[in-house]
Amino acid sequence: MSESLRNDGRVWVPKKKADHRPAKDIPENERDYYLEKPVSELRHLVPRDVASRNAKEVCDEGRGVGPHGQGVYLDFADAIHRLGLPTVSDKYGNLFDIYQRITERTRTSCRCGSTRPLTTRWEGSGSTTT
């Protein structure tokens, strides 16, 4: 997952293992923003390999999302609220399109190493990819 997306997006998984509810049904207090634990303001400075390794760890714990439990949420609700949907769309829309194409094509086979499919929760656009 690119650092540019993590600039405004927040990465999370459900706190409970094997929680298969849709992202919109998981309340804020039941979400683990695991990259923000050390210092929330520095979440976007976490190197990509560390972010990927942390994603693998939470997935291995049984808290991953998606059809095979091998994904994490990248949530832009706060950014959309703070900056507005047009700004977020202008900044990241092309990357969302790329991730959607990649994950649709490799949904069941993107499981090597610490690479995990990404689930993007883009509130306001009605689009969710896993």
Side-chain angles (χ1 to χ4, degrees):
M1 148 189 354
S2 74
E3 288 89 346
S4 63
L5 287 172
R6 287 188 283 114
N7 281 335
D8 288 310
R10 298 180 73 198
V11 180
W12 65 275
V13 294
K15 288 181 179 178
K16 282 190 325 189
K17 290 182 179 183
D19 189 337
H20 300 293
R21 293 179 289 173
K24 64 181 177 52
D25 294 341
I26 301 174
E28 192 71 24
N29 65 341
E30 294 180 28
R31 298 176 180 184
D32 180 6
Y33 294 93
Y34 61 90
L35 290 180
E36 298 178 20
K37 286 181 179 174
V39 183
S40 65
E41 298 82 31
L42 301 178
R43 71 179 177 266
H44 63 284
L45 297 177
V46 173
R48 185 173 35 231
D49 61 326
V50 173
S52 296
R53 196 172 314 118
N54 287 344
K56 181 183 182 322
E57 288 173 7
V58 296
C59 290
D60 289 349
E61 291 171 5
R63 296 188 298 136
V65 300
H68 303 288
Q70 300 295 310
V72 300
Y73 290 116
L74 179 58
D75 192 332
F76 283 84
D78 288 345
I80 291 169
H81 178 73
R82 192 176 68 254
L83 304 170
L85 182 59
T87 300
V88 172
S89 181
D90 287 347
K91 285 175 80 171
Y92 304 113
N94 62 330
L95 292 172
F96 292 152
D97 292 342
I98 291 168
Y99 274 111
Q100 184 172 6
R101 280 188 298 240
I102 290 170
T103 56
E104 283 177 356
R105 214 173 318 150
T106 63
R107 179 168 290 172
T108 57
S109 61
C110 188
R111 299 181 65 176
C112 55
S114 60
T115 302
R116 295 291 183 227
L118 176 73
T119 296
T120 303
R121 178 174 170 237
W122 186 348
E123 273 189 6
S125 73
S127 144
T128 302
T129 58
T130 304

